[in-house]
Amino acid sequence: MATRTLKTLLTSSFLLGCFFLGVSLPMRAESFAPAKIRQFLSQYDRNLDLVASAYNQILNQHLPLRGPQGKIVGQLPLERRRSRLGKLHKTIRKLEMHPDDLVLALTLQDQTEALLDDVEDASQIAFDNDYEEAGLQLSHLQIPLGHDEQIIEEYTFQLARAAQVNLRKFRSDHQESGRVSSKIHSEN
């Protein structure tokens, strides 16, 4: 119940938090076109820098970190999260260079889902250890990151639909050329 109340409070203060952190919501998923991916990824990358900053703020405390049940979790879980964040940055760079790569888009989508889980967990760890500023920063980032995830998902579906259309066209063209080829062979 306390977690739900905390989430409700954080959600209601989202606009203030976004203003304070300098985070803006990206374009809406419906208007997202492949030509705009570099702009979106640049904005998404800035949001990830804010996550890294909050992780660093917690890690710089050099105190034993406790999980929700009060058990010491140590620094390692946050180090792993920070490592996964580095992999996410690399995927973004690759997708910026190859925006029509469906596999990279799927990878980004998967990594973003994991990031949302990581941010939620790290936020709770921060609150459990009385690092209010880092906890609030991470909590306020959950909404724009969730919105980013929706856009990435829509973009991935757009790429998949385009690949499917291209595949159908290829098959149709291939079948047509096969019919023409067999007709020519049967006439000879």
Side-chain angles (χ1 to χ4, degrees), residues 55-182:
Y55 284 177
N56 289 336
Q57 186 179 355
I58 297 168
L59 288 169
N60 288 338
Q61 297 297 321
H62 299 294
L63 299 173
L65 297 174
R66 298 187 182 278
Q69 289 80 25
K71 183 179 175 185
I72 294 180
V73 294
Q75 302 283 1
L76 191 57
L78 286 175
E79 285 292 340
R80 286 187 191 135
R81 288 179 175 95
R82 194 163 61 173
S83 171
R84 286 194 295 245
L85 196 56
K87 290 177 184 175
L88 189 53
H89 280 290
K90 288 179 184 176
T91 302
I92 289 171
R93 300 289 181 285
K94 289 178 184 177
L95 192 57
E96 284 175 329
M97 292 186 297
H98 306 285
D100 292 333
D101 189 321
L102 179 57
V103 173
L104 283 174
L106 286 166
T107 301
L108 182 65
Q109 183 179 349
D110 183 55
Q111 290 174 335
T112 299
E113 287 178 21
L115 173 70
L116 282 167
D117 292 340
D118 286 349
V119 167
E120 183 177 356
D121 291 346
S123 171
Q124 191 60 49
I125 288 171
F127 283 124
D128 291 344
N129 288 277
D130 297 324
Y131 304 140
E132 297 293 322
E133 186 178 335
L136 285 172
Q137 186 176 5
L138 288 167
S139 293
H140 288 158
L141 285 170
Q142 288 178 24
I143 293 173
L145 289 172
H147 189 69
D148 290 346
E149 179 188 28
Q150 290 174 347
I151 290 175
I152 292 165
E153 182 178 298
E154 178 60 28
Y155 182 71
T156 302
F157 279 123
Q158 287 177 11
L159 289 177
R161 284 189 291 271
Q164 187 176 30
V165 166
N166 289 337
L167 181 60
R168 285 182 180 157
K169 184 177 180 336
F170 175 78
R171 283 182 179 162
S172 174
D173 291 349
H174 186 68
Q175 287 174 350
E176 272 302 310
S177 67
R179 283 188 211 135
V180 170
S181 175
S182 50

Side-chain angles (χ1 to χ4, degrees), residues 3 18 30 36 40 46 52 56 77-78 87 89 146 178 182 188:
T3 304
C18 283
E30 303 86 53
K36 295 183 179 181
F40 166 76
R46 284 192 301 270
N56 289 336
L78 286 175
K87 290 177 184 175
H89 280 290
S182 50
N188 290 333

